[in-house]
Amino acid sequence: MTAIRAGSGPANPGWQAAMTEADYLPDSALPMGGTPIQRRIAAAAIELFYSRGARATTVRDITAACDLTPGALYNHFTSKEHLLYVLVRDIHRQVDAQLAAALESAGPDPVTQLTVMVRLLVAHTAGFKRQSRMANREFIVLTGERRQEIRQIRLAIRERFTRTLLTGAAQGAFDLPGGNDEEGATLAAATITNMCVHISEWTLGNYPPGM
């Protein structure tokens, strides 16, 4: 775990304002810039991809769920795979853009920056559980350049955490278990982001009671 040295963090007078701004999650309608019909198709697809998986979902399943004919999907997306790509891409883009805005609002203190990024990622994952879990699980269905594009966005998200942790370690605010260097910061960033995004896995609708 990342240790935060005593006396750092929430005592910063800008912390509360930054937290308030980071708590705000912008409109997450999908796809970004989509038409009402595209968003209707997207909503049905997210629910089905979440519950069944993309491979087990057909175009007919998606269009039936939103009362459209099978051919209607092809007026807006070239294929089921294209629809999946657009949704996964836009979900990742939204998170990355929100993290960038949170960092800008947080000011220069690395503890404040880490706090707002963690809170935002947790809020997004818990608040948009279906789309978050779907994007994190189903992106591996994508192939070629599409999958590579998603990997690059995911790496960029992790890099925001890595830079903040590395800066904090250099200032004495963080003591990273893997070492206060690039490798240690990357390891800590991967651990933190994985814990944040997997919150959607911890709160499944059919989760066994009492656990």
Side-chain angles (χ1 to χ4, degrees):
M1 298 295 290
T2 302
I4 299 178
R5 298 189 187 279
S8 63
N12 184 314
W15 179 78
Q16 188 61 51
M19 292 288 283
T20 301
E21 288 184 53
D23 281 342
Y24 172 70
L25 293 175
D27 176 25
S28 61
L30 295 165
M32 296 169 65
T35 66
I37 292 181
Q38 288 173 338
R39 291 181 173 180
R40 186 171 153 195
I41 293 170
I46 288 171
E47 186 65 34
L48 288 165
F49 292 160
Y50 168 78
S51 60
R52 302 181 185 179
R55 289 190 176 98
T57 300
T58 66
V59 168
R60 189 174 296 275
D61 292 333
I62 297 169
T63 53
C66 52
D67 296 322
L68 295 172
T69 62
L73 184 142
Y74 298 106
N75 293 326
H76 304 278
F77 304 96
T78 58
S79 64
K80 180 188 73 174
E81 289 71 23
H82 179 229
L83 170 59
L84 174 65
Y85 158 70
V86 169
L87 293 176
V88 171
R89 180 200 64 192
D90 285 2
I91 289 167
H92 280 83
R93 282 181 174 177
Q94 286 177 346
V95 171
D96 190 43
Q98 290 163 13
L99 284 172
L103 270 174
E104 185 175 354
S105 74
D109 177 55
V111 176
T112 304
Q113 291 177 350
L114 181 61
T115 301
V116 298
M117 286 195 295
V118 167
R119 282 180 63 95
L120 190 145
L121 198 53
V122 168
H124 189 282
T125 303
F128 303 106
K129 183 176 71 173
R130 282 175 167 75
Q131 69 183 48
S132 177
R133 185 171 181 238
M134 184 278 292
N136 281 296
R137 184 187 64 194
E138 299 299 318
F139 88 92
I140 63 172
V141 175
L142 300 172
T143 59
E145 292 182 359
R146 289 175 174 176
R147 184 170 178 176
Q148 184 61 25
E149 181 181 353
I150 304 305
R151 289 190 72 254
Q152 289 303 313
I153 301 173
R154 293 171 71 89
L155 288 173
I157 290 172
R158 190 182 72 184
E159 183 67 10
R160 296 189 190 281
F161 283 83
T162 300
R163 293 300 106 200
T164 296
L165 291 166
L166 200 56
T167 299
Q171 294 178 4
F174 301 142
D175 188 10
L176 307 177
N180 294 328
D181 54 15
E182 185 86 24
E183 185 177 354
T186 300
L187 177 62
T191 301
I192 291 169
T193 53
N194 279 337
M195 287 192 294
C196 289
V197 301
H198 281 94
I199 286 176
S200 63
E201 303 282 352
W202 306 343
T203 55
L204 303 182
N206 60 348
Y207 201 74
M211 293 188 66

